[in-house]
Each structure stands twice: as C-alpha cells, then as structure tokens.
C-alpha cells in the first residue's frame, strides 16, 4: 500500500567518492545563494538574498491572513496584517545565514541542500516587535517554549508537517525579535515569507519562520521535527546532539577581478588593488578580520568599516593588496567579541551545520 | 608563465557514470531556476524568475550609463536613460527560457550550467522599441548583423570577452524587440540587467543581452564567441553546427500536492483535483497541450486559457484528474502553431541546448 513514508529516505552522508546527486541538484536549482559579487551591496537587493525553502512557497492571501497567539497565555490573540501594521514599527538590518552554509564542501558530505559558501544575505526587515505582543497575551509563568508555525507544508524523513520551529521563551522575548512584513522597504516577496515572517537577529535562518500564521506558547519543551530531529549538531546518527542556534562568525571575500564562466576562477590584473568583503557573527560584534592570500599559510589584518544598522548586520572589511603574477588562494577569517573565530581545518557534524570553514577563492594574476 | 588561458578548460561531456561536479554546483548556486510552484503566478514575481549570468553582475551606475548605436549607420547615436525613457514606451509580457534548460537531465550530460527543467520565467518588460532607433540611426544598405554588447566581462574557454551577441538585421528590426528598463513595473534589478537590457520575444535567453551598453551594426556576419562558438547546436566537437535561436515549445506541470524536502517527490491526497501548468513556444502560439499521468504511456488533452499579453507570454493549461492511490509520473507536451511539439525520447546535442524533453513529476497518492 502506498503511504507518505514512500517519498522519504533516511538522512545520510555521501560516500567518499560520491559526487553531487540529482536530488541535491534539485534543491540547488530552487534555493539559491547570493552571487558573491553582490557582497558589494550594503543591503542585499531583492532576488539576490539567499533562499532556503523546505517545501513549496505557499500561496497565502495577505488580506485573509491572520496571526494567532495561543497556548499558555492568559489572553489568546488573533491579528490581521492591518492590526500588525498599526502596532509600533521597527526597521532593523539583519544578516541571515543558512545553518547548512558550507555543507557541500565537507568531506564526507552530508546529503541535503548543497551549499558552498553563499547562503547569506543582509536585508532591512521592517515589522513590529514580538515581545510586547507576548506580554499583552499574558505569558503563563510556567511557559517554556514559543512555537512558530508557518503556512508551508511538506514531508521530511517520513514526517508530514507544517514547518514549525520553537524558541526558548527567553529568546522569544528578546527585544530585537520582529514580526516582519517588509523587506528592503517593500512588502515581503512570496519566497521571503509573505505576508509575515519571524526575524530572530543573530540566529541561523531556520529560526526565522516564514509565512508565519501561529505563535503557540508551551509549558513543555517543544519536540517537533525541526527542533528535535533536523537542526542539531550530531557526531553521528545515534548522537542526540545539541540544538543549532546562533550564527558562528564568518567573513567572505568579494572575489576580485573577473571570472571564468565554468570554473569561476578569478582573473585579476597585476598591481595595487583593494580586496574587500563582509563579516558577521550571531554571538557578538565582529572585532577583527584577517585575510590570507596563500590559502591560510599567512594572514594580514583587514580594516573594518563601521557597522551599519544596530549591530545585527554584516560589516564591510577591506585590505590593500599588490597583486603579483601567479596563482593565489584568498580567504578571510572573522573573530567576534565572544572570542569565536573561524577554522582553517573543517569542523564536521552529521548534518553539516554551523560550519564556518574559511572560504577559498582561486585567483590567477596573469603576467602582463 | 601564468596567463588568462590558465583559468579555462575545454568544453566537455560528462562520462557515463560522472555525477554533478563542484564546478557545476557553483553555477547552480548562483543561477537559480523558477521554483515550480511559482508557475501559479501569471507574471513571475521578482526573485523567482530564472537567472543565467555568465560572468559577474556588473556594477553599473544608471545615472552615468549610456547606450551607443555605432557601426554601419549614417548617424551614430548616444542616449542616456532619460533619453530612452522619453521615447515611446511599450510593456510586453514575454516568457524567457535559458537555451540550456534541461541540460543536466541529458545522457551523457554536457558540462555547463546544470539546469533540470526550471530555467524559465514570464515577466512584464517595459522599454522602448529598438527598430525605430535603428531607423533613426540610418542603417546601411549592406548591414548584416546587429551586435549587442553588455557591461559584463569574463573568460570562457580561454576567450576573454565582454558578453556580446548578434542578431541578424531582420530579427533586430522586428517590432517586438525592446530596449527594456523596467521589469514587472519596477526598474530592472541588478541581476536582470539594470539599467538596460535587450528583450527579443520568442528567442532563448542568450539573445536578451543584459547591462546593454552598445548596439553595433556590421556589414559582415558577427563571429564573436557567443554566436560562433557557444550557442550552437552541434552533434560533436568538430561539427560547426547551427545557431540556437528561437524557443522550442515546452509545457511544464505545476507539481500538485506537497513535496518531500529531499526527493521533491509529491504527495497528493486521493480524489478529484485540477492539474495545471504553463506552456510556451518561440515559434508561434501554443495550440494544444496534452498531459500524461503514466510517464508518457498515454495522453489526455488539456484546456488552454486565453493568452495573457500579446502572444509572447506563456499560456496556462489545466486538466481535471481523479487521483487514485499509487505512484504516478506526470508530464505535459505542448504543440505550437508551427507544428512543433515535444519529444518523450531525449534530443541531444553537444551543448545541451534547446532540449524540450517532456518533464517527469513523480507523484505519490497515498491510500487513505
């Protein structure tokens, strides 16, 4: 008998010689990254911000959409978009990164969305803070988690589900957390969660629930799929692991020069130039960036521009370089105020999450 | 000595057991397709339209940008954006498809941008017709080709180049060809050619030159890379081939039900439903669409909605279906007014161009 279980297979890690599968390619064709030259923009334009959509983009009518606040609250709420827009309005620049960024470069490779390094974007999100709404609803004293449910529906590893992610109450009450209805000054695009999504500054993308329709307060820890099964740092399949939460520090190089179409190797004319990029962390402000031109053999300090926004967006960094003929491998390493930095040897976990291995950008400087 | 040649390798076809390479994945992470559920929209929203960018998105200042009309003309022209916007304004709905759509499903697989079936979009392009501008410039009687040059620069198979594509004069003078500065009612996004691009209704995407900066009329056939080397239908590497031009007919199914995250297999509840999608052709109006539920074994006719736009956009098609428990493989086949249709056995050429093999959408209908 045909059942929903027939569409899923267990999670797995690719074999040592196993290249990208058609299933991984299907995900890559849907869920795109930021083209790295778009690191030039302080605020990532529409369509260039990374996307990771688990199921389908749902078809949500903004005029009929409501947000409910339910569960362990004194006064359950139901608000339409007009009611949310009538509440205090905040715009916040926030860097979002997919928890699986870098996964496809791991050895062995966890089989899932095959990101290289490009699953990031920095947008201006406008909405109303969540915390006052939760306080108005009257959180129960024994509230533990706040569960956010989207309108997107699918199957994962045999579990049929609406996309749901919980935050611990203390994180849900952070003043920075937004119910966002605009991105870069325009109503949310369908693929970014129209008409309403959660923004949790500093956390990986899985927490920023799109097409948000319900906020449910629980008095027991939430054991839904995306918290208890999917987004965990596990050593192996039997390890219960720990939750994926905040964004590890990362710096990306904006590839200098111009590319070869197929290899994406860069060609850069010899001579003085500025190499730049962006850096961010969910654990605190980026305090330094170092740059390598020899694939991690040696490092030079970069200058950091002032933060734009109020500390949750990326920072531009730059360094002067005199490009001499030859082959170079560029990379950058961010350190944040918490002391976290980036490894040059790969970290590894079975889901390929929170991997902030230093990028490698191949640059050829031709002799003139 | 290091040279620009060092960044490129010759074009090639993957070996029989060779899976997707990291180089192909790099392209897939940049150049995304339309998520197939977005076939629901008559006009593809920003960020969901397919993208194929050969090199980098260039950084073009719209206020400083000019278009030159040069070569075999009596009166060379230079126009800024304000001058172009002051000319007659036309909005046209046009379906664009990448010439390489479907490439990654071919056996053997040409190694390039690894599209499955999703390299398409239907947008409203606003601009000014090209033909009157060419007439004002005074085309020479012996004009042969019109060469369009973009501001994007890179290397391909060892050839450093600005992206350039030519149209034969008769095609450049078609009244439908636009110099477009808006998409879906907003200024062009960087990735769609801001501030100016060519739109050539009916032709594959390679003709719609983005970041357009020069229109050059020649009295000899243009022998640039993108016309003479890249976009040709060749049986093998030694075949000079024929140019890729207009879009072959294609119908896509909007996948019904909901997906499994990893396999993208669809789950659909049993019972009556409507299956729909879109169909288009660059050779003439789509005149019929047939649908298969058994992977091409049998076909039923679909209903066609009226064309939206003036004939260069896609048409919605639909068919009633009673989904019974089991496994199904859906596909659709368009036929156009020229008599062209879609094969169920793969066509093949060395570049993987103009391949309109019928799509296969795996659907599981669970027993209730």
């Amino acid at each position: 008998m045909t059942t929903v279980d027939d569409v899923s297979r267990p999670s797995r890690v690719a074999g040592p010689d196993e290249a990208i599968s058609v299933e991984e390619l299907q995900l890559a064709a849907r869920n795109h990254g930021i083209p790295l030259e778009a690191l030039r923009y302080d605020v990532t334009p529409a369509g260039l911000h990374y996307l990771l959509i688990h199921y389908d983009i749902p078809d949500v009518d903004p005029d009929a959409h409501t947000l409910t606040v339910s569960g362990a609250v004194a006064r359950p709420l139901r608000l339409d978009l007009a009611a949310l827009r009538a509440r205090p309005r905040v715009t916040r620049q926030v860097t979002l990164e997919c928890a699986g960024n870098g996964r496809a470069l791991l050895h062995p490779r966890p089989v899932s969305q095959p990101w290289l390094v490009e699953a990031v974007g920095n947008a201006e999100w406008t909405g109303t803070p969540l915390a006052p709404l939760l306080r108005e609803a009257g959180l129960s004293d024994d509230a533990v988690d706040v569960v956010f449910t989207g309108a997107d529906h699918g199957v994962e590893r045999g579990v049929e589900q609406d996309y749901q992610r919980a935050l611990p109450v203390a994180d849900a009450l952070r003043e920075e957390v937004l119910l966002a209805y605009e991105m870069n000054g325009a109503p949310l695009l369908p693929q970014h969660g129209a008409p309403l999504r959660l923004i949790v500054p500093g956390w990986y993308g899985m927490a920023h629930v799109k097409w948000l329709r319900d906020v449910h307060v629980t008095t027991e820890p939430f054991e839904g799929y995306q918290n208890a099964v999917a987004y965990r740092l596990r050593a192996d399949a039997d390890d219960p692991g720990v939750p994926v939460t905040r964004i590890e520090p990362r710096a990306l190089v904006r590839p200098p020069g111009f590319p070869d179409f197929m290899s994406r190797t860069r060609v850069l004319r010899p001579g003085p130039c500025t190499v730049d990029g962006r850096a961010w962390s969910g654990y605190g402000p980026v305090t330094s960036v170092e740059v390598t031109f020899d694939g991690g053999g040696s490092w030079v300090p970069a200058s950091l521009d002032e933060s734009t926004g109020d500390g949750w967006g990326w920072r531009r960094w730059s360094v002067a370089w005199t490009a001499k003929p030859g082959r170079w491998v560029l990379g950058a390493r961010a350190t944040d105020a918490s002391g976290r930095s980036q490894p040059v040897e790969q970290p590894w976990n079975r889901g390929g999450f929170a991997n902030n291995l230093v990028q490698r950008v191949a640059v050829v400087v031709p002799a003139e």
Side-chain angles (χ1 to χ4, degrees), chain A:
Chain A
M1 199 168 83
T2 315
T3 75
V4 167
D5 291 349
D6 294 344
V7 301
S8 296
R9 284 182 291 280
S11 69
R12 70 186 188 89
V13 171
D17 297 322
E18 186 183 332
I20 307 296
S21 63
V22 170
E23 288 199 348
E24 289 164 288
L25 180 59
Q26 286 187 114
L27 286 169
R30 290 177 56 80
N31 295 311
H32 66 86
I34 189 172
L36 294 178
E37 67 273 25
L39 294 171
R40 76 166 71 102
Y41 305 109
D42 288 340
V43 173
T44 310
L48 297 181
H49 194 288
Y50 97 90
L51 284 181
L52 189 285
I53 294 164
H54 280 237
Y55 316 125
D56 283 359
I57 300 167
D59 190 13
V60 181
D61 175 359
D63 295 330
H65 189 72
T66 60
L67 179 73
T68 48
V69 180
S70 61
V73 294
R75 290 168 294 278
L77 301 172
R78 174 184 292 269
L79 299 98
D80 62 13
L81 264 286
L84 288 163
R85 284 182 169 272
R87 295 179 61 85
R89 176 183 171 94
V90 174
T91 297
R92 204 180 290 288
Q93 199 177 113
V94 180
T95 297
L96 261 66
E97 182 177 10
C98 184
N101 202 11
R103 178 186 289 124
L105 294 172
L106 292 174
H107 298 282
R109 184 182 77 254
V111 175
S112 185
Q113 169 73 33
W115 294 122
L116 300 163
V117 298
E118 63 292 281
V120 69
N122 184 60
E124 286 186 338
W125 301 98
T126 298
T128 193
L130 172 66
L133 201 67
L134 289 176
R135 287 193 290 265
E136 284 169 38
L139 279 183
S140 168
D141 289 344
D142 56 352
V144 172
D145 278 348
V146 182
V147 184
F148 301 90
T149 302
D152 45 334
H153 186 86
V155 189
E156 239 169 309
R157 312 298 178 203
V159 181
E160 187 179 336
Q161 58 193 285
D162 289 346
Y163 187 87
Q164 286 191 309
R165 274 280 307 185
L167 287 174
V169 163
D171 292 292
L173 287 173
R174 282 173 55 213
E175 65 167 333
E176 300 93 351
V177 175
L178 291 183
L179 300 167
Y181 44 73
E182 291 180 11
M183 177 185 179
N184 296 351
L188 292 184
L189 291 163
Q191 64 271 32
H192 287 294
L196 190 70
R197 72 175 300 171
L198 193 65
I199 292 292
V200 187
W203 285 52
Y204 282 115
M206 76 281 154
H208 304 238
V209 177
K210 297 189 283 288
W211 312 291
L212 182 67
R213 62 175 181 76
D214 184 60
V215 176
H216 189 83
V217 180
T218 68
T219 56
E220 299 290 336
F222 177 67
E223 294 294 336
Y225 181 88
Q226 303 298 342
N227 280 74
V229 179
Y231 286 102
R232 299 187 79 84
L233 303 169
R234 303 176 194 271
D236 54 54
D238 298 325
D239 177 6
V242 297
V244 178
T245 59
R246 286 179 185 256
I247 299 174
E248 295 288 334
R250 189 194 289 270
L252 285 179
V253 176
R254 182 167 69 93
F258 55 85
D260 176 64
F261 169 68
M262 190 68 222
S263 69
R264 310 314 293 177
T265 301
R266 312 295 301 190
V267 178
L268 179 66
R269 303 287 175 218
C273 66
T274 298
V275 172
D276 67 6
R278 305 283 173 171
W280 62 91
S281 169
Y283 284 98
V286 169
T287 51
S288 69
V289 171
E290 300 158 284
V291 180
T292 180
F293 297 94
D294 56 7
S298 62
W299 298 86
V300 296
S303 302
L304 276 173
D305 286 6
E306 288 301 306
S307 284
T308 53
D310 55 359
W312 299 106
W314 58 26
R315 292 183 78 170
R316 180 173 176 272
W317 57 263
S318 62
V319 68
W321 186 40
T322 300
K324 293 183 179 150
R327 292 182 162 271
W328 307 93
V329 178
L330 276 54
R333 179 166 73 184
T335 301
D336 69 19
S338 79
R340 287 174 174 80
S341 189
Q342 295 183 244
V344 289
E345 301 286 329
Q346 70 168 24
W348 195 90
N349 58 77
R350 195 168 183 282
F353 294 120
N355 156 33
N356 61 343
L357 179 67
V358 168
Q359 177 194 19
R360 294 174 65 87
V361 179
V363 177
V364 165
V365 179
E368 281 201 306

